[in-house]
Amino acid sequence: MGESPVSADNHQIQVLDETNFYQLTTTKPPKLNRLPKNNTLKKPSQPKSLVTASSHDTAPISHTPTDKTQPPKALKNQKPKSLSKSQIGELLKHAQGGQDSIAMPKKLADSLSDVAIEPLIQTDKATNYLRWLAFYYLSRREMSQHELQKKLLAKGCEPQAVEDLLQEFAHKGYQSDERFAMILVRESIRKGRGKNHILQVLKSAKVNLPESVDSIDQLIQQAGADSLTDGTILTCDESETVNWLKLAVEVRTRKYGDTIPTTPKDKAKQLRFLQYRGFEFWVCLEALKLSLADFQEA
């Protein structure tokens, strides 16, 4: 039948017969170590310290240039750098024929040739805070120039800046001592305050009477204080002036009732109350003798 096959294990010649025919014809040959398709072998999973360089177990090394002078690649989504104010100013100077400090493309120079250089308005935080603070105080209530200056200086604002701001506000009508005086008269009478109280507040606020006003009575008359009520307190006769006596009686009866005081203790107590309210002394004495019914009969 020919030469007998050779076993790879024992290298002995075996004769093919009936006893070993099936065994020799059905045994698969041993697998050979086949190379990968890319003709490279996988590196063994060993620590770097134990890996030895050999000619049959290492992958081919790709030689890549390692020149550090090569410029890096541009990053994606990288924003262009913006020009500073000094660079923009130099560009404008160059466009208008100024000192040639930096290089500029001709197209950019032509586009900037007609641009006028204007000084930028620099906003100061201290100035903005000062103006905001002044408007805040004036929005709450009308204030005199002295009161507003005192509040601004208490907040640590610069005195010269405060002085300039007050002059500007007075010129533009944002703040007015005359308007403050008129509002003070109306509010004082509405709250049941006398003439002495109005004079004291004007003095503490350092508000002088307007040039068109000769006395406090004329100021009160110009303020239109008689139109503040429904006619039970302030309206008097056809003179359109404030009836301070009737106002004092109204304030006293609102506090202690409509009965006229008879004991010295009650008289002294109500007299001090009317004086504290700012009424003149003679008005306080007369108010202790009258009630609201006396004005209704009159």
Side-chain angles (χ1 to χ4, degrees), residues 71-298:
K73 296 182 180 180
L75 299 177
K76 294 182 179 180
N77 301 329
Q78 185 177 6
K79 297 182 180 179
K81 294 182 179 181
S82 58
L83 297 177
S84 61
K85 293 182 179 179
S86 60
Q87 291 176 339
I88 295 174
E90 291 177 357
L91 288 174
L92 295 176
K93 280 185 179 180
H94 182 87
Q96 293 187 348
Q99 186 179 359
D100 198 2
S101 57
I102 60 175
M104 179 187 298
K106 185 177 182 303
K107 184 181 294 185
L108 180 59
D110 295 339
S111 61
L112 295 176
S113 59
D114 298 333
V115 178
I117 301 176
E118 297 181 359
L120 298 177
I121 300 176
Q122 300 292 338
T123 57
D124 188 8
K125 290 184 179 181
T127 303
N128 292 340
Y129 174 72
L130 175 63
R131 297 181 67 87
W132 174 85
L133 197 61
F135 278 118
Y136 170 73
Y137 286 136
L138 292 175
S139 64
R140 298 180 63 185
R141 67 177 182 88
E142 192 69 36
M143 303 178 69
S144 66
Q145 193 176 53
H146 174 72
E147 289 178 343
L148 183 59
Q149 181 183 18
K150 187 177 179 180
K151 284 186 172 292
L152 294 177
L153 292 178
K155 291 295 182 178
C157 299
E158 187 181 358
Q160 184 60 39
V162 172
E163 186 67 25
D164 297 339
L165 182 70
L166 292 177
Q167 294 180 3
E168 177 189 352
F169 275 32
H171 177 71
K172 294 182 178 180
Y174 299 153
Q175 185 277 329
S176 174
D177 283 354
E178 183 177 358
R179 186 170 63 245
F180 168 76
M182 297 295 180
I183 294 178
L184 173 64
V185 170
R186 296 171 66 90
E187 290 296 328
S188 298
I189 295 177
R190 182 184 289 111
K191 294 179 181 179
R193 305 287 182 174
K195 188 187 298 184
N196 290 339
H197 171 79
I198 297 174
L199 290 174
Q200 185 65 29
V201 174
L202 291 176
K203 183 179 179 180
S204 61
K206 295 185 178 181
V207 176
N208 298 324
L209 296 177
E211 298 180 355
S212 59
V213 177
D214 298 332
S215 62
I216 185 65
D217 294 328
Q218 189 176 359
L219 176 65
I220 294 172
Q221 185 177 358
Q222 290 184 3
D226 56 329
S227 62
L228 296 178
T229 60
D230 56 356
T232 58
I233 299 177
L234 301 180
T235 54
C236 184
D237 48 10
E238 298 178 357
S239 61
E240 296 182 356
T241 58
V242 179
N243 190 345
W244 297 107
L245 180 58
K246 186 177 181 180
L247 180 61
V249 173
E250 171 75 13
V251 172
R252 183 188 66 80
T253 56
R254 191 184 302 166
K255 177 72 174 178
Y256 298 103
D258 199 19
T259 57
I260 298 176
T262 55
T263 61
K265 182 178 179 180
D266 293 339
K267 289 182 179 180
K269 184 178 180 179
Q270 296 184 18
L271 180 64
R272 287 194 301 269
F273 171 74
L274 293 176
Q275 286 181 329
Y276 173 77
R277 284 282 183 164
F279 292 99
E280 297 177 294
F281 185 71
W282 71 269
V283 175
C284 297
L285 291 177
E286 293 295 328
L288 299 178
K289 305 175 183 179
L290 300 173
S291 63
L292 289 178
D294 298 333
F295 291 95
Q296 293 177 359
E297 292 176 359

Side-chain angles (χ1 to χ4, degrees), residues 7-39:
S7 175
D9 298 330
N10 51 15
H11 300 282
Q12 295 178 0
I13 301 174
Q14 296 181 3
V15 180
L16 182 63
D17 55 9
E18 295 179 358
T19 59
N20 59 7
F21 177 80
Y22 180 78
Q23 181 181 1
L24 294 177
T25 56
T26 57
T27 302
K28 294 182 180 181
K31 293 183 179 180
L32 299 178
N33 293 331
R34 297 181 180 181
L35 295 176
K37 293 182 179 180
N38 55 357
N39 298 329

